[in-house]
Each structure stands twice: as C-alpha cells, then as structure tokens.
Amino acid sequence: MAARAEQKLRTRRALMDAALSQLSADRGFGSLSLREVAREAGIAPTSFYRHFADLDELGLALVDEGGVALRQLMRQARKRIARNGSAISTSVDTFLEYLGNNANLFRLMLRERTGVSKQFRTAVKAEIDHFVTELADDLDRFGEERGKPLYSPRTVAEAMVTLVFNQGAEALDGTRPERERLRQRLKMELRMVLLGSQVMARHQKTTEF
C-alpha cells in the first residue's frame, strides 16, 4: 500500500512537471491539452483521471505550489536579511533567484492573475494576498524595530508586490544585462516606495496626502 501511494505521488508530480515544462513566453496554461500533458508525463490519457479531475484541477494545484514557493521565498529572504541587514537588496536578489529556478511557475501565476478563468484568478489572488499579508507584517515589524515606522504597511506591501510582479514579467525572458539593469531599477523603485512611506509616517499628523 505504501509503495502504491508513493507511486501515485510520483505520477502526480510527473503530471504537474509535464504541464509546467510546456509553458513558455508564447504558450499559456489554457492552450495545453490533457493528452499532451499525459504523454509528456509518460502515462495513458485515461490514467490522468486517477490523479486530477481535469486540467483545471491540475492548474489549481500548480497555483497552490506557486503560493508555497512564494512563502518559502519570504523565509529565505528573512534569514538572509538577518545575516546582512540589507532588506531591499537581499529581497530583490532572492526574488530573482526564485525567478530563475521557477520561471514557468511564475509565468502561470502571472498570467492567471488576470486570466479568463475566475476560478484561477481567485486562487492566484488568494495566494498573492497571503504573500502581501506576510510582507506587510515584516515591513511593520522592521520599521518599528529600526525606529522608522511606515505609513500603511499593507499599502506599501501591495505596491511592492505589484512592482515585483511587473518587473518579474520583464525579467523572465530578458538577457543577462537586461536582468541586471532590472535588478538595479527594482531596488531603486522599492527604496522609493519605502522611503516615501517613512516620510508620510513622520508627517501624517501635519500633512494631508
């Protein structure tokens, strides 16, 4: 029984990897067929249904995996920040590493965030909301610890995630020099958001924004 369960997990993983491997700059999840995913995974199309009800269920499992990867990214960034103290620089470098290792997973999250399927949009939004909430908590805590509180940490987190997703989309198919320019630009933009929030926090009682 244990061996059978393990084999089922391996086949499920193979199907998810097969779907991811077929995504590219020119091809989204909606263009995949069950038959080609099954063929890439090395199983008969009829066997697909032992693991997923349909391709949408497989796609939602990948969205969930994307959310887990983002949360793991946050944990990695926290550990690195604790070592070297540069929050924005470390976070951007960590994100671009994630992008290099999970390009097609990020493509899926990016496209389905504004895709035609409400089910997918809702799932991606939920994962991004979790990410934003964790980031807002971190920003709020870091600001208080360093005596530089932020004006609306949640709004800052949302702005940062939007910037990161937009720049990440450009980085996916960029050359090495293009990615390096993007890295530096993203760090500058995130610093501008952070510094602006710190200034607003200092003057919120005397200035109307």
Side-chain angles (χ1 to χ4, degrees):
M1 290 293 291
R4 186 177 299 174
E6 195 172 309
Q7 178 59 44
K8 186 172 183 178
L9 286 174
R10 283 200 296 269
T11 304
R12 179 183 171 89
R13 180 72 257 168
L15 285 166
M16 294 170 70
D17 289 342
L20 277 178
S21 71
Q22 295 178 64
L23 302 181
S24 68
D26 303 314
R27 191 174 193 199
F29 187 83
S31 69
L32 303 184
S33 75
L34 186 152
R35 284 185 173 277
E36 63 186 338
V37 169
R39 182 172 62 248
E40 180 71 18
I43 67 170
T46 52
S47 298
F48 177 96
Y49 298 105
R50 297 176 188 168
H51 307 279
F52 298 99
D54 50 31
L55 272 179
D56 280 352
E57 187 177 298
L58 185 155
L60 290 171
L62 288 172
V63 168
D64 182 65
E65 184 168 278
V68 170
L70 285 173
R71 289 191 287 279
Q72 289 174 340
L73 171 71
M74 290 287 290
R75 287 194 287 272
Q76 290 173 19
R78 284 190 199 107
K79 290 177 181 178
R80 293 179 178 183
I81 291 167
R83 287 197 297 269
N84 65 35
S86 179
I88 287 178
S89 182
T90 299
S91 296
V92 170
D93 291 343
T94 303
F95 171 72
L96 290 177
E97 284 179 28
Y98 159 83
L99 202 63
N101 295 328
N102 301 274
N104 283 348
L105 196 56
F106 186 75
R107 286 185 204 281
L108 178 71
M109 299 281 286
L110 191 68
R111 284 178 174 149
E112 299 306 329
R113 184 185 187 192
T114 56
V116 296
S117 168
K118 182 178 179 181
Q119 189 178 24
F120 274 83
R121 290 199 308 271
T122 300
V124 173
K125 182 179 183 302
E127 296 298 342
I128 293 175
D129 282 347
H130 289 317
F131 185 56
V132 167
T133 298
E134 286 197 30
L135 179 58
D137 289 343
D138 283 348
L139 290 170
D140 192 26
R141 186 176 65 257
F142 291 155
E144 294 297 333
E145 288 174 353
R146 299 176 185 187
K148 297 179 179 179
L150 302 182
Y151 182 85
S152 186
R154 174 81 189 191
T155 304
V156 175
E158 290 172 348
M160 286 183 160
V161 169
T162 297
L163 281 171
V164 166
F165 264 68
N166 289 345
Q167 301 287 24
E170 287 189 39
L172 276 173
D173 301 299
T175 63
R176 186 185 295 271
E178 288 170 341
R179 285 197 178 200
E180 188 53 39
R181 286 194 295 271
L182 182 145
R183 182 195 305 271
Q184 300 308 321
R185 187 175 73 203
L186 182 55
K187 289 178 181 180
M188 179 185 68
E189 290 172 343
L190 293 176
R191 287 192 182 102
M192 290 171 71
V193 171
L194 194 61
L195 289 172
S197 177
Q198 290 170 353
V199 171
M200 291 175 75
R202 288 199 300 269
H203 298 284
Q204 62 180 314
K205 293 181 180 179
T206 58
T207 305
E208 190 170 324
F209 300 103

